[in-house]
Amino acid sequence: MIDPSGRDASLDLMRFLDASPTPYHAVSEVVRRLRNAGFSELDERDEWKLSPGDLRYVVRGGATIVALALGEAPPSRTGFRLAAAHTDSPNLRAKPRSEVRAYGQRQMAVEIYGSPLLHTWLDRDLSLAGRVSLVDGSTHLVRFDRPICRISSLAIHLSPTLATDGLRLNPQQHMLATLSLGDDDAGGVEALIAAELSRGGASVPRDAVVAFDLMTYDVQGAASAGASEELVASARLDNLASCHAAVSALLARTSPTEATRGIVLYDHEEVGSQSAAGAGSLFLRSVLSRVADGMQGAGTDAAARAFARSLLVSADMAHAIHPNHADKHDPQNAPRLGGGPVVKVNASQSYATDAPGAAVFERACREHGFSAQRFSARNDMRCGSTIGPIAAARLGMRTVDVGNPMLSMHSCREVAAASDVPKMIQAISAVLSTKELPGSAA
């Protein structure tokens, strides 16, 4: 039984967050956990030979992963039980030609990824992490576990209109990060990468570094917060907390069930999902179709029949009501920190939830002694969106959008309730084990 206070689960979440400064590291950590539980890798380029009870995973693009615990019956007869989340978070990413020299400082030009709250990245001890490709064709994960750069705010004495006009940041002019002092040729991102890779043994010259996908991250780790440590404060809770819940739920039971259970963790949600590895791609459909068609006894039109018998839980963090800004919420549909998982509803299909799907998730929550909260946006405000509607449209699969409540979404550092962590794991685990689902026409 998971600790109802959330302490055990939240500590494991914090370990997961600290291991995952980038989507590439997040998938690497997921793979580590899957392999420890007996999962083995499939390659999209190979012919797949699958059997009931197999534990398999597929990675695309280094930051998107599908993992499946194959059921004892063909998916065409039982459908899939799936949980989805996304591995990326809003941040600042190094530009390909990033070095800028100005007034005795070597700076790094960054590109804004997603919609971060830019002011929260000022005056933080930032590091770099991501993946690097060398001229020999190899690609490596890299992570600097120390402060590397900093974006300094302007002193109040030089900002006479700050109190009246608020902080105005130009993303091109004001978000360059200081790497070092001096204007010689010894520094720069490529030199830092080469030196870091060389620490592993073989010497890597600076000119061997030909491309990189690097992003900044706050070196301050995840932490318990609050008078009774009832909060989790960290970067990237949106949406690595949902990735952690999905993985934990899948691994809560690895023995075969009748239906195939699985997770998909996508990259690029924060920028619209339209990529070869995003929810807008055919990656998940391709994987599920190959599984459905390849299982013994599948029959004709196996994939289509499987999708019509399936359910996908799209997990993405939800907006908790902010005590200082309560007027930003619909008063009847305002989730609270510590109130448990949230079912998100939007009539315009920014969320994919329908009544039968919401009922399945609510039943899963009640199996563990709690009820789900509800979120619906004010009519005069946008609610944002998730991978749920995109995946539902690609698959024709019933989808329910859910998430744990949080504050400071898209900040460099966010906060959620520790007690909500195990509840989401329990709810997703129960959905993955659900035997009967409403039909596609229900």
Side-chain angles (χ1 to χ4, degrees), residues 8-55:
D8 293 343
S10 63
L11 287 174
D12 189 61
L13 169 60
M14 288 189 282
R15 288 190 289 268
F16 183 83
L17 291 163
D18 288 343
S20 308
T22 75
Y24 312 111
H25 289 83
V27 166
S28 178
E29 174 63 12
V30 170
V31 167
R32 184 190 70 80
R33 293 180 177 220
L34 291 172
R35 293 184 68 86
N36 285 345
F39 284 72
S40 58
E41 187 172 11
L42 291 168
D43 191 317
E44 287 190 88
R45 298 169 295 184
D46 296 339
E47 180 182 356
W48 293 355
K49 297 185 183 300
L50 303 171
S51 302
D54 282 355
L55 304 174

Side-chain angles (χ1 to χ4, degrees), residues 85-424:
H86 64 88
T87 59
D88 61 322
S89 302
N91 60 16
L92 313 177
R93 304 196 171 193
K95 288 191 172 182
R97 295 288 180 266
S98 61
E99 187 168 344
V100 177
R101 301 183 191 187
Y103 305 101
Q105 295 186 22
R106 179 179 288 105
Q107 295 179 291
M108 179 181 68
V110 298
E111 189 170 4
I112 312 302
Y113 180 86
S115 303
L117 293 172
L118 289 180
H119 68 277
T120 67
W121 289 80
L122 303 180
D123 304 325
R124 306 291 306 187
D125 293 333
L126 303 177
S127 191
L128 290 171
R131 64 180 180 180
V132 177
S133 292
L134 304 182
V135 71
D136 64 7
S138 62
T139 298
H140 308 264
L141 287 184
V142 65
R143 172 179 181 169
F144 297 89
D145 286 314
R146 60 186 177 87
I148 291 290
C149 54
R150 191 176 194 274
I151 306 170
S152 297
S153 55
L154 185 64
I156 187 68
H157 316 85
L158 305 178
S159 309
T161 61
L162 183 63
T164 55
D165 297 345
L167 181 63
R168 298 175 181 271
L169 294 172
N170 181 295
Q172 175 70 17
Q173 292 178 271
H174 302 147
M175 298 306 293
L176 285 84
T178 296
L179 282 172
S180 65
L181 300 180
D183 53 9
D184 54 48
D185 293 324
V189 172
E190 289 84 359
L192 283 168
I193 294 169
E196 184 67 16
L197 293 178
S198 296
R199 293 176 59 188
S203 177
V204 177
R206 177 178 177 175
D207 60 4
V209 179
V210 293
F212 50 76
D213 298 309
L214 287 181
M215 52 207 77
T216 60
Y217 73 96
D218 186 357
V219 297
Q220 183 179 0
S224 295
S228 300
E229 297 189 327
E230 61 268 70
L231 301 173
V232 176
S234 178
R236 304 177 298 281
L237 283 171
D238 175 26
N239 189 36
L240 291 184
S242 300
C243 294
H244 172 265
V247 175
S248 301
L250 179 64
L251 297 184
R253 177 177 180 177
T254 55
S255 58
T257 56
E258 186 178 32
T260 293
R261 298 170 294 115
I263 61 173
V264 54
L265 310 179
Y266 285 113
D267 195 8
H268 300 145
E269 188 275 344
E270 297 291 357
V271 291
S273 297
Q274 298 303 311
S275 70
S281 73
L282 296 177
F283 177 48
L284 180 60
R285 186 181 185 93
S286 172
V287 170
L288 297 182
S289 296
R290 293 176 73 173
V291 171
D293 294 336
M295 293 291 284
Q296 186 175 1
T300 59
D301 299 322
R305 289 161 56 209
F307 297 163
R309 289 181 163 93
S310 299
L311 179 72
L312 185 145
V313 176
S314 167
D316 201 347
M317 299 298 279
H319 294 291
I321 189 167
H322 194 308
N324 302 343
H325 303 276
D327 60 326
K328 300 297 184 181
H329 283 262
D330 181 274
Q332 284 74 44
N333 297 278
R336 297 183 299 169
L337 289 180
V342 179
V343 173
K344 306 177 185 180
V345 178
N346 180 259
S348 298
Q349 295 299 295
S350 288
Y351 305 130
T353 305
D354 64 3
V360 173
F361 191 80
E362 177 64 29
R363 184 170 68 247
C365 292
R366 292 187 185 185
E367 286 180 19
H368 292 278
F370 57 90
S371 186
Q373 302 188 84
R374 299 295 191 274
F375 174 78
S376 180
R378 285 177 56 106
N379 292 337
D380 54 0
M381 297 189 69
R382 294 179 58 193
C383 66
S385 189
T386 71
I387 59 176
I390 301 170
R394 292 290 183 273
L395 298 168
M397 185 181 295
R398 170 161 281 129
T399 300
V400 54
D401 271 297
V402 304
N404 268 344
M406 66 174 292
L407 294 175
S408 303
M409 187 178 289
H410 286 205
S411 171
C412 187
R413 197 158 180 86
E414 302 164 326
V415 67
S419 63
D420 290 334
V421 177
K423 290 179 181 178
M424 181 60 81

